[in-house]
Amino acid sequence: MKRQQEVGAEFLPQPISRRALLQTASAVAVAGIVGGHGFANASSNTPLAAAGQSKSFPDKFLWGCATAGHQVEGNNTSSDLWLVEHLPESIFKEPSGDACDHYHLYPQDISMLADLGFNTYRFSLEWARIEPEERFFSHAELEHYRRMLASCRENHLTPLLTYSHFSIPRWFALKGGWQNPAAPDLYARFCEKATRHLGDLVGYASTFNEPDVPQLLSWLNLPGVNFTEVFESGLGKVRKQINAPEFANFFLGDGKKIRDGVLAAHHKGRIAMKSVRSDMPVGFNLAMSDDQPAPEDSHLAEKRADVYGPWLEVAKQCDYLGVQVYSRSIVGKKDLPPPKGAEVTQLGWEFYPECVEHVVRYASKETGVPILVTENGIATNDDSRRVEYLQRALAGLKRAIDDGVDVRGYVVWSLLDNFEWMSGFDPKFGIVAVDLATQRRTIKPSGAMLGNIARRNSL
Ligand code: BGC
């Protein structure tokens, strides 16, 4: 039987026995969670213990952690983003480098997450590794991902596999990325090859992570940041620096053309996956905010139609919808800044855990398909805030489930502190800390707490 993992226990970047791990754990941390009750008791003063409410989640509920290849693997050198990160005038704060070296350390990361109590792991393929040059498919890299999936199965984890999480092969970007009329067919060919090699081990497949995120960002209103401008000027700079007039990727390019390309790629990719394994559940992961109307001049309906509209339609033909939500937006003409005095997280997003409940209710009502929460969490250096955030988010999720909303799982973003795209390594989303110099992993209290909930399948 699996033993509970200690808070503060460090994972070394080489094989380490469970016994050794238990011996190195701090006595204080052990005292806090012995028998798996520490956090259960700690939660008795929280909204989780609402009087008279059953605390159990449905049978077979999926409890997981998420990562994305480029953010954790390291050395994704054939990708578009590696190229952009290393330009002299990069829009990235720093390059991804070795990231969390998850490419090599996945066996211990996966067993760590299983030991914590989770039954699900969401991760992504790097198309740039699998097809580093057009039409050259690497058997060795496909085998790498097959080993990752097998490792999930050995650890009794259901793998949720994302086929595309923002990064793309460099050759594909140089040809115009998703704006290239051939993009949907090129993507479908990759989906077909990957499914042929990996499909039998997949739990749930996703064609795209957050295909709506460029539109969502265009509604954002963060002090001093206009994402549309950042991306437009970024595209010009990149094209000039690499002398590639066609270069475009997931973020850099013409938003409308990218959306049309990704929509078509989703359809073709899904058909390609199903042609290989018709019973594989296929969906995608939608970025959503808990949109609330401003008292005056709210464009909420317009925002929803613009950002989610086409994707909610597409979701109706899917086996499930992955919902990814972090906060709320009060929508006026654009999103308004967080209310004065509101607590904000490292990325300036309002601390608003109730967003999960509100968004799953909305997404389920609009689509009628089963919902998986495939990302939720906060960027903070203060893990006690993450603990509170997750407790309140789950209490809300439970209320929605009790009211009959068909939610099949909850996956936290993220397993590891990782490469937060343009913001580099500063934002800390992980339930496990990573020392980038040594690659040591240290489980945070939020990781132990969430793992305990997962193991009990109950708040
Ligand atoms: C993305 C992740 C990202 C997270 C936090 C989501 O938009 O899927 O890759 O790290 O949010 O920003």
Side-chain angles (χ1 to χ4, degrees):
M1 205 176 131
K2 285 195 183 291
R3 286 286 311 271
Q4 173 148 335
Q5 219 74 82
E6 282 69 17
V7 185
E10 286 186 343
F11 277 73
L12 303 173
Q14 63 260 357
I16 178 168
S17 70
R18 220 153 265 159
R19 176 171 306 177
L21 180 75
L22 297 176
Q23 283 163 356
T24 55
S26 92
V28 176
V30 175
I33 58 168
V34 156
H37 297 307
F39 283 93
N41 292 341
S43 71
S44 60
N45 293 327
T46 72
L48 298 185
Q53 204 191 349
S54 153
K55 295 195 233 163
S56 295
F57 278 73
D59 275 356
K60 303 202 173 125
F61 197 74
L62 299 173
W63 291 100
C65 304
T67 62
H70 191 78
Q71 294 180 273
V72 293
E73 286 180 353
N75 300 296
N76 188 21
T77 55
S78 300
S79 68
D80 63 324
L81 297 183
W82 184 271
L83 174 72
V84 176
E85 289 162 21
H86 286 271
L87 292 176
E89 288 178 56
S90 181
I91 50 173
F92 282 76
K93 182 168 176 280
E94 55 191 325
S96 50
D98 285 342
C100 306
D101 199 15
H102 186 64
Y103 185 81
H104 297 105
L105 301 180
Y106 76 84
Q108 68 193 64
D109 288 341
I110 288 176
S111 69
M112 171 179 67
L113 103 96
D115 287 351
L116 275 168
F118 295 98
N119 60 22
T120 298
Y121 181 36
R122 172 174 179 246
F123 64 99
S124 73
L125 301 177
E126 277 303 329
W127 180 9
R129 290 187 192 277
I130 293 173
E131 193 181 359
E133 294 297 339
E134 189 173 357
R135 279 186 297 274
F136 171 74
F137 285 86
S138 164
H139 181 80
E141 295 291 357
L142 283 165
E143 279 294 288
H144 167 81
Y145 290 111
R146 192 162 175 87
R147 285 193 292 274
M148 284 187 77
L149 289 163
S151 169
C152 289
R153 294 298 182 184
E154 280 154 24
N155 282 281
H156 309 290
L157 300 170
T158 299
L160 311 189
L161 188 66
T162 311
Y163 280 52
S164 177
H165 195 125
F166 299 160
S167 44
I168 52 181
R170 186 183 296 201
W171 62 263
F172 182 77
L174 290 170
K175 290 182 139 195
W178 301 108
Q179 299 182 184
N180 176 357
D185 287 321
L186 295 171
Y187 181 64
R189 183 175 64 189
F190 158 69
C191 291
E192 197 264 342
K193 294 260 190 224
T195 310
R196 223 167 259 297
H197 207 96
L198 307 169
D200 58 317
L201 294 178
V202 171
Y204 290 74
S206 157
T207 54
F208 282 99
N209 180 69
E210 301 192 342
D212 61 326
V213 85
Q215 273 75 33
L216 192 63
L217 291 176
S218 76
W219 282 81
L220 269 193
N221 195 346
L222 292 175
V225 190
N226 177 329
F227 279 103
T228 310
E229 275 171 22
V230 170
F231 294 146
E232 270 170 18
S233 74
L235 177 65
K237 275 189 196 161
V238 171
R239 285 179 167 175
K240 208 162 141 211
Q241 287 182 85
I242 59 174
N243 191 21
E246 298 293 318
F247 183 95
N249 63 13
F250 187 81
F251 292 102
L252 303 175
D254 176 325
K256 167 95 180 59
K257 282 192 192 157
I258 295 175
R259 167 147 76 186
D260 290 348
V262 174
L263 270 167
H266 164 83
H267 286 302
K268 291 204 165 176
R270 178 172 164 272
I271 290 168
M273 293 177 190
K274 290 278 191 184
S275 74
V276 179
R277 212 196 116 190
S278 59
D279 65 336
M280 182 169 77
V282 180
F284 65 96
N285 313 88
L286 195 62
M288 302 186 84
S289 185
D290 176 5
D291 296 309
Q292 302 177 6
E296 281 169 26
D297 194 22
S298 176
H299 289 231
L300 187 141
E302 191 191 320
K303 176 184 176 184
R304 283 183 164 170
D306 176 41
V307 180
Y308 317 124
W311 291 105
L312 291 173
E313 278 309 305
V314 164
K316 291 179 188 166
Q317 294 134 31
C318 289
D319 299 304
Y320 74 97
L321 173 64
V323 160
Q324 318 209 140
V325 54
Y326 290 87
S327 186
R328 71 167 165 175
S329 309
I330 300 177
V331 189
K333 235 188 186 124
K334 288 267 169 189
D335 292 354
L336 301 179
K340 273 216 170 68
E343 177 179 352
V344 293
T345 62
Q346 276 180 312
L347 291 178
W349 304 346
E350 185 182 352
F351 182 99
Y352 193 80
E354 287 67 32
C355 62
V356 177
E357 173 184 3
H358 301 161
V359 164
V360 296
R361 287 181 190 273
Y362 170 68
S364 167
K365 190 164 137 268
E366 292 296 314
T367 64
V369 296
I371 302 293
L372 289 172
V373 177
T374 42
E375 280 187 30
N376 172 242
I378 57 168
T380 179
N381 268 320
D382 177 354
D383 193 57
S384 68
R385 301 310 295 139
R386 187 176 353 263
V387 167
E388 177 175 337
Y389 179 95
L390 296 177
Q391 287 178 333
R392 281 172 44 188
L394 292 176
L397 184 64
K398 183 67 172 52
R399 282 192 293 273
I401 293 171
D402 288 346
D403 284 347
V405 180
D406 184 4
V407 183
R408 305 285 173 92
Y410 175 89
V411 177
V412 72
W413 184 267
S414 178
L415 173 63
L416 303 170
D417 284 339
N418 62 43
F419 180 68
E420 179 55 25
W421 310 111
M422 290 190 296
S423 311
F425 288 96
D426 286 345
K428 306 295 183 202
F429 274 99
I431 57 164
V432 173
V434 176
D435 178 332
L436 294 176
T438 61
Q439 293 296 351
R440 275 167 200 263
R441 276 61 167 144
T442 305
I443 296 162
K444 300 179 191 179
S446 57
M449 178 208 68
L450 195 57
N452 282 339
I453 290 175
R455 183 181 289 104
R456 292 195 304 261
N457 195 29
S458 173
L459 298 176

